[in-house]
Amino acid sequence: MEQTTQDYEPPQKIFTCNLCGLATPFTYYGQKPPNTRAIVLLEECFVTRDPFNPDKEKFLVLGSNCSLCSNTVCVGADCSLFYTKRFCMPCVNKHLDQFPHQIQTELAKKKQSSKAAVP
Amino acid sequence: MDPDSRSRDPDSRSRDPDSRSWDWDRPQCRAQMDEIFFRQHDYIPAGSPEHADFWAFFERFQRFKMKKDVSGCGGSRKEERDEGKESRKSSAAKVDIGLPQEYDARYRINVSVCTRDVEERLGRSEQGGRRSSAGPGSQEVTDCRLALLHFLDFSQRQSFGKLAKLRREQKNLPIFQYRDRIVDLVRRHPVVVVAGDTGCGKSTQVPQYLLDAGFSHIACTQPRRIACISLAKRVTFESLNQYGSKVGYQIRFETTRTAATKLLFVTEGLLLRQIQQDGALAQYQVVIVDEVHERHLHCDFLLGVLRSLLLSRPALRLILMSATINIKLFSSYFNNAPVLQVPGRLFPIQVIYQPIPPEEQVSRSEKMDPRPYLRVLQGIDQRYPPEERGDLLIFLSGVAEISTIQEACQVYATHTRRWIVLPLHSTLSLAQQDKVFDIAPPSVRKCIISTNIAETSVTIDGVRFVVDSGKVKEMSFDPKAKMQRLQEFWISRASSEQRKGRAGRTGPGVCYRLYAESDYDAFAPYPVPEIHRVALDSLILQMKSMSLGDPLSFAFIDPPPADRIQTAVTYLKEQGALDRHSELTSIGSLLAQLPVDVVIGKMLVLGSLFNLVEPVLTVAAALSVQSPFLRSAQHNPDCTTARQPLHSSQGDPFTLLNTFNAWVEVKGERGGGSRKWCRRRGLEEQRLYEMVNLRKQFKDLLKSHSLLESEFSAPSGGHRSQRRERLTERRKLHQLKRDHEQQEGSRRKVLRLEEGQEGESSSGSDGEETGRGKKDKDGSGQNMDIQEVKFKLRHNVSELQEAASSSQDLSSRQHSLLKLLLCRGLYPQLALPDEHNSTRKDTEQVFHTKNKHGVVIHPTSVFASDPEVLHVPEDETGHTAPDRRDSSRHQLLAFVTLLETNKPYLSNCVRVPALQALLLVANSVDSNSDCTRLVVDGWLELELRDAEGALKVLSTALTLRTDWERLLLAQLGKGTTGGLGGPGVSRRDMEKLSEGLVRFLLYTEVSYSLRRLTAFQTQNLYIGPQPEQDPSQTQTANLNPLFPGVEAKPDPVKGGLRVTGFFTYNCLADSRDLYSECLRTFWTCPNCDLYMPLTPLERMQHEASCRPAAELQQEGEPENGKASSSSASSLTRVYHCDVCDEDLSLTSTEILKHKRQHMYSAK
């Protein structure tokens, strides 16, 4: 019964965003999260169970790899963007001109508002 | 697919012949869509909460699309497209990242969903957009599909947003940077001290760091139950385990622990109980003791226990968490354990010293002067614009002070309309306490006037200003007067800083100290730890039951003074919990397991012997929780009237018993309607819920010790349909509880400006619902009281009702027996009414305890409003001497607490007949030679008029006590041998004893005087040891049939003859007659035919052994064979007669006769 110090649980697999550092355990990587029936993801994703939903079978996509530089990033708007594929923010900025106008203005707006919020 | 074609003008619907019958709002149309997208096996099945969310989202989505179309984005589309092309050209040199040419919001969604439309399309490759007459067209399907994708994306964003926010907040906590250090230290050291100030995040984060690092079986202790619950809730959420049981809590009556629980928040007391049961504490790998700096009694003790436990379990990890107060003490106590100090997160706080000018200072008897406090309110109004938010928190020492200042502030608030004044202390109803968390309307500030409860226990956000009176009322124990004392003290510097810190939690703040800086410097550095202030009885008892050896040599972090421990040991001996050698008695080991005061535990054990378990359980539970009677309602005439029928002139425990029974009655009839019932009577229902829970715990404990038969009445009886009904009801209740837990919190109300002005109780006008079941119909559980839900889940109401009604219709005999049990439980907590009380005003009634003279009855007690019931009736045969009043109706009060605030108050009192109660429960009864003068416990003197009666009373009492003791031991023996060993207590023995006790209590008509001895009298009380003993007397001394095996010996201190453990005969220095002990008078025994001259002692001895003939015959009956043989042998003993030189087996009476024979023949 007595535990020894070595008796640790195997650590969970952790997803870590290489940009913002968000780290949280994930349970699945791929395009077809388990127990989600008809759901297909359009990219290979790090997935966990949605902790904010009482239904055990609801999933939550945490992040994926950038389609250009393969950097692991979270789906947060500050770190990546999905537009037919996943792009990390540095890659988006690098190729900003190739993105549609709507996205460009949106990003510009966001940049401004976040700047305004800082001071 | 052209995205434009999807978002059609809504008007086009009417033009399209296909969709003429299509209306998104029609349930039928939605149902058709449900069959495509929300089938039972789909990700979102119809009927689920998400399904409802989807349709709500759908409506918003459609509206949004419409607005976008109307605003005519179409015009700009072309431009964009051109622009896009152009830009793409210019960047042609770079890598083409392969994006589609047209913008479509759909491309931003990374999810695809395979629903029926897709399946059909894939299956029958081209089915076309045709549909049956009213079915959805391809356009509608496409619309719905698009909405679904956006909905999925939206839900993902929402959840991820929450997660990201959570992680961001965790990262921003000061302790986050120390995460790896902490884990590393814990891995390498058995004990680690983490010190950090408020807001550093240690309580929520450290357990998570350890969990994440792979530790499991973690216990984290908290001084308060409420903290266990709220921390468990928070950590559950943060560790993303909201819907699992990885993190749980366990407090006295509630647990969320399951086999999957890895982190458990427990109270300090509960962990100690777990150690009591499992000495190695093998169920945990890590123990975190939080808030060690608060130095609660349990915490100090727990640290000592853990310290010795570490020796036997070196792998156990121990983490102490503390504010940055006196850290060295903890570290050095654990062999210089490493300390990790984490800075707190406090905003700067400006300290302003505003000592109270002498003319405004309070003298002892006066009310507080509110002016210093009002000046602060005014100052804030002048200096800070109302739109700058920030509330005020005032720290005062006690409830009386709070109401004085509250009154004055309210006048100011009503005038300025800029403040809402709210009191905060633990005797307020929970609903009222909860108000301090509500939000003030714009331009209005809350002014919260609190005791030190807001210093650590209750954290209120949004406080910007703090006023610190510098005072605190603390409970201390006076071992000399055996009295609790609530006294006002200056606070310590540590408390002062803690109070100040409350102003800087959410932004920069200001702290007004109503004392001088020099005062501050003179404060003690830390508060006095609880272990130095309180009575240690329960602690010592627990230590004994944990076999921790001599309490005096236990290595406490800060040992209490030795005399305090000694006081506790003496007290426990008096109570019978420890024997002469300070070892646990069987009753003591049982008491150690009851989480209540020793006196209350005793009541339970005593109650289990007689047929009075139900009322005793209720009384014991009621006396262990705070009074349900709200003080504030005392001045409300409606409440007083409504309470009247609950009052009992027998005493407060009976009032509580009535109240509980009536409440159970109401619960059975009206369920949730009890809330209103309580409000009308000024009762805090929470306390009644606590009682019913505690009562159940007591009952279970008694059962597990075989002191109570577990009833086999199957509560699940009845028809199958009834059972099923009950099952569905339970399921419904569980659902309600879950729902409640889910929506709990973050529903703060906005306060109204009038909030503080209202009277404290809003009872009276609203009539009670009398129609039963009304609530169930229209409420359908929606606003069902969560306490009611928990109550129903935990208790069988009909069973409770039965118990209640059985204890409601107690006969007067049962009543007097119950009083005796309470009295024996509470002994030696007895008080004597002052002899002049009948000539005093009701409010000036005075009482005396053994150690404290001149105490008064607490105004909440029944006897405060009705003191006459304690007076000796006037018509009794009068005064034999001017200072002596004889009566057979003297009474004493047995009380639960003696607490000194501004006066020493007795609370929870019950009245008992003095002579009978004393003879049956007192530890020491001393008599003179003819037993007309008795001194009890060295302080109460009873003088009986009639020697004949005196002897009779005394010998009846002795016999009853012997029987009682014997049955009690048998009952306890039953418990220790697991219910199999001893014969236990036969029903008939028990009934005979209770009959005897009742008869003694009710029908003893002996006139006597009762008074307290003066100090001088106590000094010269005993004759002391006599050098020369009459040989014939030493002979009789050996005849001790009362306690066979125990010899009656001359008492070495008092002199006289120690007849039983509590009775010493003829040891009183009684000048009146020196020879009456040898004086024989003729006496006829009512049971046998004996008629001869006997000394008082001889007569008592005969009475103790001589049973009525009928009784002896009964005992001889076969069903009782065993008992009779033992009782017969207890009556006869081997007597060696020196004259005959022969061993004779005789009863004591026979021995007497035998000896007499020689005496006469010698003459």
Side-chain angles (χ1 to χ4, degrees):
Chain A
M1 185 65 201
E2 171 132 343
Q3 277 101 20
T4 58
T5 359
Q6 283 73 42
D7 179 21
Y8 301 123
E9 302 253 314
Q12 296 160 296
K13 290 179 286 182
I14 302 285
F15 163 83
T16 308
C17 171
N18 285 337
L19 293 179
C20 70
L22 176 131
T24 195
F26 71 98
T27 50
Y28 171 80
Y29 176 74
Q31 281 186 277
K32 188 78 199 63
N35 303 322
T36 50
R37 289 155 184 151
I39 298 287
V40 179
L41 300 175
L42 302 180
E43 53 173 341
E44 305 253 294
C45 290
F46 295 91
V47 178
T48 187
R49 183 181 115 45
D50 184 348
F52 306 106
N53 195 309
D55 184 348
K56 274 200 222 63
E57 307 199 334
K58 295 286 178 276
F59 69 95
L60 174 63
V61 173
L62 298 169
S64 63
N65 297 323
C66 172
S67 62
L68 295 179
C69 67
S70 303
N71 201 5
T72 304
V73 284
C74 74
V75 297
D78 293 335
C79 296
S80 77
L81 180 147
F82 187 85
Y83 192 71
T84 71
K85 289 175 274 200
R86 179 71 53 189
F87 298 98
C88 70
M89 265 320 162
C91 285
V92 171
N93 287 328
K94 218 184 288 170
H95 306 281
L96 195 59
D97 52 345
Q98 292 188 44
F99 283 88
H101 174 74
Q102 283 88 341
I103 290 181
Q104 291 185 24
T105 28
E106 218 179 273
L107 290 175
K109 243 190 237 163
K110 209 176 72 190
K111 219 180 209 169
Q112 252 182 349
S113 67
S114 71
K115 246 183 214 158
V118 164
Chain B
M1 227 187 280
D2 179 10
D4 282 7
S5 68
R6 283 193 205 131
S7 48
R8 291 188 307 177
D9 183 42
D11 294 339
S12 68
R13 243 190 255 171
S14 54
R15 272 178 267 126
D16 188 333
D18 281 344
S19 58
R20 201 166 295 145
S21 55
W22 192 261
D23 178 359
W24 284 111
D25 294 332
R26 273 179 56 198
Q28 293 94 323
C29 291
R30 289 195 178 186
Q32 283 174 334
M33 281 301 168
D34 288 348
E35 276 165 36
I36 300 174
F37 294 102
F38 307 110
R39 295 164 299 171
Q40 279 315 301
H41 61 273
D42 275 322
Y43 186 60
I44 299 175
S48 64
E50 286 79 15
H51 177 248
D53 290 348
F54 168 77
W55 283 112
F57 175 84
F58 182 83
E59 278 160 28
R60 269 180 291 143
F61 187 66
Q62 293 293 93
R63 274 201 301 277
F64 172 73
K65 265 200 321 187
M66 240 194 284
K67 221 163 67 189
K68 215 162 122 186
D69 286 350
V70 171
S71 68
C73 306
S76 61
R77 279 274 153 83
K78 212 166 196 133
E79 266 174 62
E80 282 164 30
R81 225 174 282 164
D82 293 344
E83 236 175 274
K85 266 176 201 155
E86 228 161 89
S87 54
R88 195 154 301 179
K89 240 181 258 161
S90 64
S91 63
K94 286 199 239 164
V95 198
D96 182 7
I97 58 171
L99 296 180
Q101 303 220 331
E102 301 280 343
Y103 173 79
D104 187 345
R106 162 78 187 80
Y107 294 144
R108 306 183 69 159
I109 301 174
N110 68 346
V111 187
S112 163
V113 58
C114 180
T115 41
R116 202 180 85 194
D117 56 321
V118 182
E119 282 167 18
E120 277 170 0
R121 212 180 313 145
L122 292 174
R124 287 154 267 166
S125 61
E126 189 50 64
Q127 230 231 352
R130 297 296 108 201
R131 62 188 152 104
S132 51
S133 57
S138 61
Q139 192 52 56
E140 280 81 25
V141 172
T142 315
D143 281 357
C144 188
R145 179 177 182 74
L146 183 70
L148 173 60
L149 289 174
H150 276 281
F151 175 68
L152 288 174
D153 188 54
F154 167 76
S155 336
Q156 286 286 317
R157 272 175 213 280
Q158 229 181 7
S159 282
F160 185 81
K162 274 192 209 169
L163 176 65
K165 179 168 174 252
L166 192 67
R167 291 289 186 249
R168 214 162 39 236
E169 282 168 0
Q170 288 180 319
K171 224 170 128 177
N172 287 336
L173 286 168
I175 201 161
F176 184 78
Q177 292 150 334
Y178 301 88
R179 186 192 155 108
D180 296 339
R181 287 263 328 266
I182 291 169
V183 171
D184 184 55
L185 280 173
V186 173
R187 285 215 170 103
R188 287 192 294 120
H189 300 273
V191 184
V192 176
V193 180
V194 177
D197 283 320
T198 323
C200 80
K202 57 184 185 314
S203 301
T204 54
Q205 303 305 303
V206 171
Q208 289 187 69
Y209 296 165
L210 297 175
L211 265 187
D212 291 347
F215 289 94
S216 62
H217 305 98
I218 304 171
C220 181
T221 70
Q222 292 296 323
R224 286 165 290 273
R225 277 183 249 173
I226 191 97
C228 287
I229 301 175
S230 60
L231 275 173
K233 206 176 265 173
R234 181 66 200 168
V235 173
T236 297
F237 178 76
E238 283 194 20
S239 59
L240 309 180
N241 202 251
Q242 212 171 339
Y243 300 101
S245 58
K246 205 168 81 181
V247 181
Y249 66 86
Q250 188 170 3
I251 55 176
R252 207 195 225 175
F253 303 117
E254 265 184 88
T255 183
T256 59
R257 184 182 197 174
T258 69
T261 303
K262 293 178 175 175
L263 167 61
L264 188 70
F265 287 92
V266 290
T267 52
E268 289 155 353
L270 202 97
L271 189 72
L272 277 170
R273 299 252 163 230
Q274 289 179 346
I275 300 176
Q276 217 172 333
Q277 265 136 41
D278 163 20
L281 207 55
Q283 56 185 311
Y284 301 116
Q285 183 190 9
V286 181
V287 174
I288 304 172
V289 184
D290 200 0
E291 317 282 9
V292 286
H293 64 276
E294 289 191 18
R295 305 294 308 277
H296 293 280
L297 178 66
H298 279 319
C299 186
D300 271 16
F301 179 42
L302 182 63
L303 290 182
V305 172
L306 289 170
R307 187 170 178 260
S308 54
L309 205 141
L310 276 169
L311 299 175
S312 57
R313 274 198 63 192
L316 183 74
R317 301 285 104 160
L318 178 60
I319 295 113
L320 311 185
M321 301 209 286
S322 137
T324 46
I325 293 172
N326 214 354
I327 309 160
K328 232 179 166 174
L329 174 76
F330 299 105
S331 168
S332 54
Y333 183 56
F334 284 100
N335 198 17
N336 291 321
V339 175
L340 190 100
Q341 201 159 340
V342 182
R345 190 175 54 182
L346 271 188
F347 293 91
I349 299 161
Q350 185 193 358
V351 177
I352 300 170
Y353 288 95
Q354 281 185 1
I356 297 175
E359 68 274 15
E360 290 174 9
Q361 264 163 24
V362 243
S363 64
R364 257 199 114 197
S365 52
E366 266 175 81
K367 269 191 169 182
M368 266 178 105
D369 193 327
R371 280 178 289 177
Y373 297 88
L374 288 172
R375 273 201 296 275
V376 174
L377 265 75
Q378 278 166 343
I380 291 170
D381 283 341
Q382 281 158 16
R383 242 159 293 164
Y384 304 93
E387 40 302 337
E388 270 182 34
R389 296 207 74 120
D391 300 320
L392 169 68
L393 175 60
I394 301 178
F395 284 101
L396 296 177
S397 62
V399 178
E401 288 76 6
I402 289 176
S403 56
T404 307
I405 301 301
Q406 183 192 354
E407 223 169 275
C409 287
Q410 189 53 56
V411 174
Y412 179 75
T414 313
H415 175 69
T416 59
R417 302 186 63 78
R418 282 170 76 171
W419 295 90
I420 291 176
V421 185
L422 300 168
L424 176 64
H425 49 81
S426 60
T427 57
L428 281 178
S429 75
L430 298 180
Q432 276 186 309
Q433 287 188 27
D434 211 46
K435 268 190 193 162
V436 301
F437 297 108
D438 291 340
I439 306 153
S443 313
V444 175
R445 297 177 203 282
K446 284 187 284 184
C447 167
I448 300 157
I449 312 181
S450 172
T451 57
N452 61 344
I453 190 175
E455 206 176 291
T456 45
S457 320
V458 179
T459 298
I460 310 152
D461 278 327
V463 171
R464 183 177 171 190
F465 308 99
V466 162
V467 177
D468 178 10
S469 65
K471 298 284 176 60
V472 69
K473 272 190 188 149
E474 254 175 5
M475 197 71 93
S476 58
F477 178 67
D478 177 348
K480 230 164 144 194
K482 301 247 173 138
M483 179 174 69
Q484 308 256 61
R485 192 173 271 149
L486 193 65
Q487 267 177 303
E488 194 176 81
F489 297 101
W490 281 112
I491 56 173
S492 65
R493 290 203 291 275
S495 298
S496 170
E497 287 305 292
Q498 184 71 30
R499 290 180 175 189
K500 179 184 103 182
R502 295 278 142 169
R505 289 178 52 84
T506 29
V510 187
C511 174
Y512 302 88
R513 287 178 170 163
L514 302 190
Y515 43 86
E517 195 164 3
S518 56
D519 291 329
Y520 174 84
D521 293 332
F523 286 173
Y526 315 111
V528 180
E530 197 178 2
I531 202 165
H532 289 254
R533 290 190 275 116
V534 298
L536 301 174
D537 320 327
S538 298
L539 178 74
I540 302 296
L541 190 62
Q542 203 172 8
M543 292 182 77
K544 286 285 178 191
S545 84
M546 290 168 88
S547 312
L548 292 172
D550 183 3
L552 283 169
S553 56
F554 186 78
F556 283 106
I557 188 163
D558 193 349
D563 62 318
R564 279 293 175 85
I565 293 177
Q566 205 46 59
T567 308
V569 170
T570 313
Y571 175 80
L572 290 172
K573 281 182 186 166
E574 274 171 19
Q575 294 282 1
L578 296 180
D579 64 17
R580 217 165 293 205
H581 313 288
S582 302
E583 296 301 322
L584 272 189
T585 59
S586 47
I587 198 170
S589 60
L590 183 62
L591 293 176
Q593 301 196 37
L594 298 172
V596 285
D597 273 0
V598 174
V599 289
I600 297 192
K602 258 169 64 193
M603 277 178 212
L604 285 172
V605 176
L606 293 167
S608 75
L609 184 61
F610 298 103
N611 268 338
L612 284 170
V613 185
E614 298 296 347
V616 166
L617 282 169
T618 305
V619 170
L623 294 178
S624 310
V625 304
Q626 258 188 45
S627 168
F629 294 99
L630 288 168
R631 287 299 300 276
S632 55
Q634 257 201 328
H635 309 293
N636 181 328
D638 290 337
C639 283
T640 327
T641 321
R643 276 180 190 182
Q644 205 51 51
L646 302 173
H647 280 229
S648 164
S649 70
Q650 300 298 322
D652 307 307
F654 288 87
T655 300
L656 288 166
L657 179 66
N658 292 343
T659 306
F660 181 82
N661 288 339
W663 178 72
V664 167
E665 208 61 44
V666 172
K667 279 231 118 12
E669 278 170 19
R670 283 176 255 166
S674 62
R675 213 198 306 197
K676 212 166 210 168
W677 184 88
C678 286
R679 210 187 308 138
R680 283 202 59 179
R681 282 154 187 80
L683 290 164
E684 174 59 59
E685 191 167 27
Q686 185 60 32
R687 307 278 168 259
L688 291 157
Y689 283 117
E690 284 167 19
M691 273 184 219
V692 74
N693 290 338
L694 197 56
R695 196 179 181 284
K696 186 173 190 297
Q697 193 189 18
F698 290 164
K699 200 168 188 175
D700 292 344
L701 268 166
L702 289 182
K703 274 183 200 158
S704 72
H705 287 82
S706 312
L707 291 178
L708 195 63
E709 255 134 69
S710 8
E711 59 263 78
F712 38 84
S713 66
S716 55
H719 296 298
R720 188 173 297 169
S721 62
Q722 278 179 335
R723 238 178 302 163
R724 200 179 306 131
E725 211 171 278
R726 208 170 292 139
L727 209 68
T728 26
E729 155 111 41
R730 278 189 82 79
R731 220 171 276 147
K732 218 174 85 195
L733 289 169
H734 272 296
Q735 187 55 47
L736 280 170
K737 190 175 162 216
R738 267 196 299 275
D739 290 352
H740 173 84
E741 275 157 11
Q742 233 128 94
Q743 48 172 276
E744 220 180 18
S746 69
R747 283 177 304 160
R748 284 289 154 213
K749 278 194 312 181
V750 174
L751 291 160
R752 285 169 307 125
L753 196 56
E754 298 76 34
E755 206 74 54
Q757 287 156 271
E758 290 165 359
E760 302 230 350
S761 60
S762 49
S763 60
S765 58
D766 43 0
E768 281 176 66
E769 299 166 69
T770 37
R772 57 162 70 185
K774 187 179 168 198
K775 179 124 201 165
D776 301 315
K777 251 182 242 160
D778 52 43
S780 75
Q782 257 327 316
N783 42 35
M784 196 180 193
D785 183 359
I786 185 64
Q787 292 298 340
E788 163 78 8
V789 173
K790 287 187 188 170
F791 171 82
K792 279 195 172 165
L793 276 173
R794 217 174 274 155
H795 305 282
N796 183 336
V797 183
S798 56
E799 216 177 274
L800 268 172
Q801 265 183 302
E802 249 170 68
S805 65
S806 82
S807 57
Q808 216 158 30
D809 325 319
L810 289 179
S811 63
S812 64
R813 316 178 119 236
Q814 285 172 307
H815 244 111
S816 51
L817 192 56
L818 182 54
K819 280 194 333 191
L820 177 67
L821 297 192
L822 300 189
C823 176
R824 182 159 175 195
L826 293 172
Y827 175 85
Q829 292 165 193
L830 299 175
L832 170 75
D834 187 86
E835 51 195 323
H836 303 300
N837 271 354
S838 51
T839 58
R840 287 197 179 98
K841 276 198 282 182
D842 280 7
T843 48
E844 287 165 8
Q845 303 283 308
V846 179
F847 297 81
H848 311 282
T849 73
K850 184 182 178 189
N851 301 297
K852 179 85 187 170
H853 301 159
V855 301
V856 295
I857 295 204
H858 197 266
T860 53
S861 171
V862 172
F863 300 119
S865 44
D866 192 11
E868 278 103 64
V869 296
L870 296 172
H871 296 164
V872 176
E874 286 295 337
D875 57 322
E876 287 288 319
T877 32
H879 308 233
T880 42
D883 60 335
R884 186 177 155 168
R885 289 195 66 182
D886 280 21
S887 165
S888 59
R889 305 247 179 280
H890 288 290
Q891 294 183 91
L892 292 173
L893 283 184
F895 59 89
V896 179
T897 41
L898 169 55
L899 169 68
E900 187 176 76
T901 52
N902 54 348
K903 281 181 201 161
Y905 287 111
L906 299 173
S907 8
N908 281 327
C909 309
V910 58
R911 61 188 168 102
V912 289
L915 174 72
Q916 295 95 312
L918 287 173
L919 290 182
L920 289 175
V921 307
N923 274 345
S924 152
V925 177
D926 304 315
S927 81
N928 61 355
S929 54
D930 63 354
C931 300
T932 52
R933 183 168 169 245
L934 302 172
V935 170
V936 178
D937 291 333
W939 74 288
L940 287 173
E941 182 194 59
L942 296 89
E943 281 189 280
L944 291 83
R945 305 266 282 310
D946 154 39
E948 174 71 27
L951 265 181
K952 187 155 177 282
V953 166
L954 196 58
S955 71
T956 313
L958 290 182
T959 315
L960 285 170
R961 269 184 88 148
T962 317
D963 287 347
W964 194 358
E965 224 47 47
R966 186 168 48 81
L967 293 191
L968 195 59
L969 277 177
Q971 170 85 342
L972 287 171
K974 196 173 72 171
T976 48
T977 51
L980 296 168
V985 179
S986 86
R987 203 180 166 73
R988 222 184 51 213
D989 282 352
M990 184 275 287
E991 271 164 12
K992 210 176 75 199
L993 172 61
S994 53
E995 179 61 32
L997 289 172
V998 167
R999 212 180 311 138
F1000 183 66
L1001 287 167
L1002 292 179
Y1003 307 121
T1004 302
E1005 295 280 341
V1006 181
S1007 199
Y1008 61 97
S1009 69
L1010 173 65
R1011 69 172 151 224
R1012 166 170 61 99
L1013 292 173
T1014 61
F1016 177 74
Q1017 282 173 309
T1018 17
Q1019 268 170 29
N1020 306 298
L1021 196 55
Y1022 300 114
I1023 49 171
Q1026 301 294 302
E1028 183 70 27
Q1029 290 280 353
D1030 174 8
S1032 78
Q1033 200 184 320
T1034 26
Q1035 281 289 358
T1036 43
N1038 289 330
L1039 312 172
N1040 186 9
L1042 299 174
F1043 292 90
V1046 179
E1047 295 207 338
K1049 278 185 287 201
D1051 191 288
V1053 182
K1054 297 176 183 174
L1057 206 59
R1058 202 185 164 104
V1059 179
T1060 70
F1062 61 90
F1063 176 53
T1064 311
Y1065 171 69
N1066 199 19
C1067 62
L1068 294 179
D1070 193 355
S1071 54
R1072 265 183 307 175
D1073 80 75
L1074 288 164
Y1075 303 103
S1076 61
E1077 69 165 299
C1078 337
L1079 212 64
R1080 293 200 162 84
T1081 46
F1082 275 93
W1083 177 70
T1084 317
C1085 173
N1087 295 333
C1088 62
D1089 53 355
L1090 180 84
Y1091 173 74
M1092 59 194 288
L1094 295 174
T1095 68
L1097 193 61
E1098 283 166 350
R1099 187 177 139 185
M1100 260 187 276
Q1101 283 165 338
H1102 174 83
E1103 280 190 295
S1105 56
C1106 185
R1107 301 292 165 104
E1111 200 177 292
L1112 281 170
Q1113 254 168 26
Q1114 272 177 3
E1115 279 179 20
E1117 280 165 23
E1119 59 153 325
N1120 239 17
K1122 227 182 196 171
S1124 76
S1125 68
S1126 70
S1127 64
S1129 63
S1130 75
L1131 291 177
T1132 60
R1133 54 198 305 271
V1134 177
Y1135 168 70
H1136 181 82
C1137 179
D1138 294 330
V1139 185
C1140 315
D1141 196 21
E1142 217 179 323
D1143 277 336
L1144 302 165
S1145 180
L1146 299 172
T1147 66
S1148 47
T1149 329
E1150 288 163 341
I1151 299 172
L1152 277 175
K1153 279 186 184 168
H1154 183 86
K1155 281 201 299 184
R1156 199 67 37 84
Q1157 199 183 303
H1158 290 304
M1159 271 167 65
Y1160 292 131
S1161 56
K1163 269 180 193 165

